[in-house]
Amino acid sequence: MLRRFALTARIFTKTSFPSIPSSLGARSLHAALWRQYTNLPHSKELPEQKSGTEDARRNGTTTPTIDSEKRRKVLELEIEVMRQEGRKVPSVATIKPDQWEHLLGLSSRNQRRQYYLYLWNIEMVRLGQKLKKERKQEEIAKRREELVKATAENDHIVYGLFHNTMFLRIYDSKVDHFHNNRYGVTPRSVLVQAMQFGVNLVIDCSYDDYMNDKEMRNTAKQLMLCFALNRSHAEPFNIHHCNANFGKTTMKQLEKHLVQIHQPEFPFNITDRSYTELFPKERLVYLTPHCKNDLTEFNPDDVYIIGAMVDKSSQEPVSLGKAKKLGLRMARLPLDRYFQFKSGKSLTIDQMVSIMLELKSSNDFEKALQHVPRRKITTVDEATVREQEIREAAKFKFNFNSKRPGDKRNSKQSSYQTGKGRH
């Protein structure tokens, strides 16, 4: 271990670190190197990387990958020093390449510490699941041995758990295959039939630049929920995922969980093309909460667009600006007509898909808006209690600016101010 640290420290002898006394021990040397690195300016590049980048820009060449390797070695050293200090950091061997890429892009120590804690929590959860699985396997093996001993002298066929059975085991892959190829009234898959003759719905996946890594991962989860909700519905949409950027985290996570996404027989429409290239502008309607036009009824001839964006960090009207720039019609759900909200009116992508599925089936807003989470809505009882509190608070309000009829001091002060204003 010390030899590895010494080799790691030798790599940075060519960098512009101040000289370190040779009398320091190995632990002090590692701590000093880590402290010098963390005291650098909080930028994504080291000083020598910046100079190399400027030279590369002047000469028209690309920056060598050795700089990222150096930074990775520094981060490995930082993780080891933090582990020796007793902090919660993950093992270097458990960090995946995409996580290393995210770590190299972080610009401050606090961001790295938070991400280390996040990776450590994931590692602890996996370790606990592994230990739980091993204990369960040991219990199953012990149970089987007891059953074998109990039935060793019995020559008859024994049915039951860990014995013979007349039922077949249904695997998760079979269940997925059933849902993807579920048949309706006609001898044709419901999803395939929707892709050929169903009502179109667009999910705009062009908001990766407005989200951080955590929000993009959350967006990918919501897109998977949308696919599951749509395929389990009796009359699903023909959903088009447009403006997909396969180099960003959202599509990488979606490809990770839906491996067969690019297979031609898989009922999933995804493309990097814009929806303005697939449908005429006259039919497109962008659903955004920032516009003033309420959606009064569902029109099956229109193509509704839902923005695939998780805006926890920023609530800017990006979708409104995009719809105005493209010259598209806009609409919002009439939430204020049916509910009184406690907090924000933002809904997730899967909640929007559920509402649109119900609108397509019944065209009833009261029934469709039942998919709005109850935690965001103020009920009738809560509204009544709130009104009573406001009335009680209004009784104790005092108007300090009002003049009492016999107050001569106020009248003198007002006349003095009036006279002063004339001069």
Side-chain angles (χ1 to χ4, degrees):
M1 184 66 73
L2 293 177
R3 182 180 179 184
R4 189 177 70 128
F5 289 158
L7 291 173
T8 306
R10 196 176 300 171
I11 295 175
F12 303 104
T13 54
K14 297 181 181 181
T15 59
S16 58
F17 291 124
S19 59
I20 300 173
S22 59
S23 60
L24 293 175
R27 182 187 178 93
S28 302
L29 175 63
H30 303 151
L33 282 173
W34 172 66
R35 195 177 299 111
Q36 289 165 3
Y37 168 72
T38 52
N39 289 331
L40 287 173
H42 291 174
S43 61
K44 294 185 179 181
E45 293 181 345
L46 296 173
E48 60 270 12
Q49 285 178 299
K50 291 183 178 179
S51 61
T53 307
E54 293 177 358
D55 296 339
R57 289 174 181 173
R58 293 171 186 171
N59 301 330
T61 57
T62 57
T63 313
T65 57
I66 191 170
D67 294 336
S68 60
E69 293 294 331
K70 283 184 178 180
R71 291 202 68 204
R72 178 168 173 171
K73 293 292 184 182
V74 172
L75 292 180
E76 290 179 1
L77 186 63
E78 179 183 18
I79 291 172
E80 192 59 38
V81 171
M82 292 178 68
R83 179 181 289 107
Q84 292 178 4
E85 291 178 352
R87 297 179 180 269
K88 297 177 180 179
V89 292
S91 302
V92 177
T94 60
I95 303 178
K96 299 179 181 179
D98 57 337
Q99 295 171 347
W100 275 118
E101 184 179 356
H102 181 69
L103 269 174
L104 293 172
L106 297 178
S107 57
S108 65
R109 285 176 290 173
N110 290 332
Q111 291 179 351
R112 289 198 300 273
R113 287 174 181 174
Q114 292 177 3
Y115 196 64
Y116 290 152
L117 180 61
Y118 167 71
L119 295 179
W120 180 81
N121 289 329
I122 292 178
E123 185 179 351
M124 292 298 104
V125 169
R126 290 177 179 172
L127 182 60
Q129 291 176 351
K130 184 179 178 181
L131 295 175
K132 186 177 179 180
K133 186 177 180 180
E134 290 177 354
R135 287 197 298 266
K136 189 174 181 180
Q137 289 178 350
E138 292 176 357
E139 292 176 359
I140 290 174
K142 185 178 180 181
R143 176 65 176 165
R144 281 180 176 173
E145 291 179 0
E146 294 176 356
L147 290 173
V148 167
K149 292 179 181 178
T151 59
E153 300 178 355
N154 191 0
D155 296 334
H156 298 284
I157 298 177
V158 180
Y159 291 94
L161 193 61
F162 304 116
H163 295 292
N164 297 306
T165 179
M166 64 180 70
F167 301 104
L168 295 177
R169 182 173 181 178
I170 301 176
Y171 294 90
D172 294 337
S173 58
K174 288 291 183 182
V175 177
D176 288 336
H177 183 74
F178 167 77
H179 285 298
N180 294 337
N181 301 278
R182 181 171 52 91
Y183 292 100
V185 180
T186 60
R188 188 192 298 265
S189 174
V190 175
L191 274 180
V192 174
Q193 188 175 359
M195 292 175 69
Q196 292 178 344
F197 311 107
V199 179
N200 295 304
L201 181 72
V202 173
I203 295 181
D204 188 6
C205 304
S206 62
Y207 296 98
D208 291 334
D209 295 333
Y210 300 95
M211 297 183 290
N212 54 33
D213 189 75
K214 183 179 180 180
E215 290 172 343
M216 285 190 282
R217 292 175 184 272
N218 197 354
T219 303
K221 292 180 181 179
Q222 293 183 19
L223 291 177
M224 288 187 290
L225 284 174
C226 292
F227 174 71
L229 288 169
N230 188 56
R231 74 175 183 180
S232 60
H233 199 266
E235 298 178 1
F237 276 112
N238 181 21
I239 298 182
H240 298 265
H241 299 78
C242 298
N243 297 322
N245 188 352
F246 296 99
K248 294 290 185 177
T249 307
T250 303
M251 289 298 118
K252 287 182 179 178
Q253 290 294 316
L254 197 61
E255 290 174 338
K256 179 180 177 182
H257 296 286
L258 292 177
V259 184
Q260 64 274 31
I261 191 174
H262 296 292
Q263 296 178 4
E265 65 274 7
F266 189 68
F268 195 88
N269 293 325
I270 186 166
T271 178
D272 55 354
R273 298 171 61 190
S274 176
Y275 36 82
T276 54
E277 302 176 13
L278 301 177
F279 305 100
K281 280 189 176 182
E282 296 79 16
R283 296 180 57 194
L284 296 175
V285 180
Y286 213 110
L287 297 176
T288 171
H290 304 288
C291 72
K292 297 181 180 180
N293 303 323
D294 286 342
L295 184 67
T296 55
E297 62 176 357
F298 182 86
N299 187 1
D301 294 330
D302 290 335
V303 180
Y304 296 97
I305 306 171
I306 299 173
M309 182 179 179
V310 176
D311 51 354
K312 291 183 178 179
S313 56
S314 64
Q315 308 242 340
E316 298 178 358
V318 184
S319 57
L320 178 67
K322 189 170 185 180
K324 283 187 175 181
K325 184 178 180 181
L326 295 174
L328 304 178
R329 289 182 293 157
M330 295 172 287
R332 65 178 180 181
L333 296 178
L335 300 176
D336 294 330
R337 192 184 305 171
Y338 296 93
F339 303 116
Q340 184 178 358
F341 282 81
K342 296 178 182 177
S343 56
K345 303 175 186 177
S346 59
L347 302 176
T348 59
I349 310 170
D350 54 300
Q351 291 167 4
M352 285 294 298
V353 171
S354 300
I355 292 172
M356 297 305 293
L357 283 168
E358 188 60 43
L359 279 178
K360 183 172 68 72
S361 301
S362 62
N363 208 356
D364 185 3
F365 279 94
E366 291 187 2
K367 192 174 180 181
L369 293 179
Q370 291 178 358
H371 297 281
V372 177
R374 300 295 103 180
R375 66 179 183 275
K376 294 186 175 183
I377 299 171
T378 302
T379 61
V380 178
D381 297 335
E382 292 177 350
T384 305
V385 172
R386 179 62 179 167
E387 288 179 2
Q388 291 178 357
E389 291 178 354
I390 293 174
R391 290 174 183 173
E392 292 293 332
K395 294 179 181 178
F396 298 98
K397 284 186 178 180
F398 296 96
N399 190 0
F400 294 97
N401 297 325
S402 62
K403 295 186 295 181
R404 287 177 291 182
D407 196 350
K408 299 180 180 180
R409 182 177 57 184
N410 290 337
S411 60
K412 290 181 180 180
Q413 186 177 0
S414 61
S415 62
Y416 170 75
Q417 290 177 353
T418 308
K420 184 178 180 182
R422 290 176 183 174
H423 291 292

